[in-house]
């Protein structure tokens, strides 16, 4: 979903899907290896004060929708 970015100041994610979105700080997200899960219409912001700047991966329980991402740099 997002590549590594040393200049990242923040990021937001909105699950615009009826399925669970599994987000992972790192690569290869799965339903058993994830950082946070977002249900339908859920919103998530990267926690501070130190923002994670590595890659962020995601996968859905079923493919039907999109994730709306805003990365702040």
């Amino acid at each position: 979903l997002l590549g590594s970015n040393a200049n990242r100041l923040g990021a937001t994610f909105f699950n615009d899907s009826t399925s669970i979105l599994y987000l992972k700080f790192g690569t290869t997200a799965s339903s058993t290896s994830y950082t946070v899960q977002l249900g339908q219409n859920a919103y998530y912001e990267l926690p501070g004060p130190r923002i994670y700047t590595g890659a962020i991966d995601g996968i859905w329980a079923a493919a039907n929708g999109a994730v709306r991402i805003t990365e702040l740099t």
Side-chain angles (χ1 to χ4, degrees):
L1 299 175
L2 289 176
S4 294
N5 183 351
N7 296 315
R8 182 179 300 142
L9 300 175
T12 64
F13 302 84
F14 178 79
N15 184 16
D16 191 6
S17 168
T18 58
S19 294
I20 294 171
L21 169 62
Y22 298 94
L23 287 180
K24 182 174 182 177
F25 291 2
T27 56
T28 318
S30 73
S31 62
T32 59
S33 178
Y34 60 91
T35 305
V36 64
Q37 63 177 320
L38 301 177
Q40 179 181 0
N41 297 321
Y43 173 82
Y44 180 75
E45 291 182 9
L46 292 182
R50 291 192 64 219
I51 299 296
Y52 175 74
T53 59
I56 299 174
D57 195 22
I59 191 169
W60 278 269
N64 67 2
V67 61
R68 311 299 177 184
I69 304 168
T70 302
E71 182 176 34
L72 308 169
T73 55

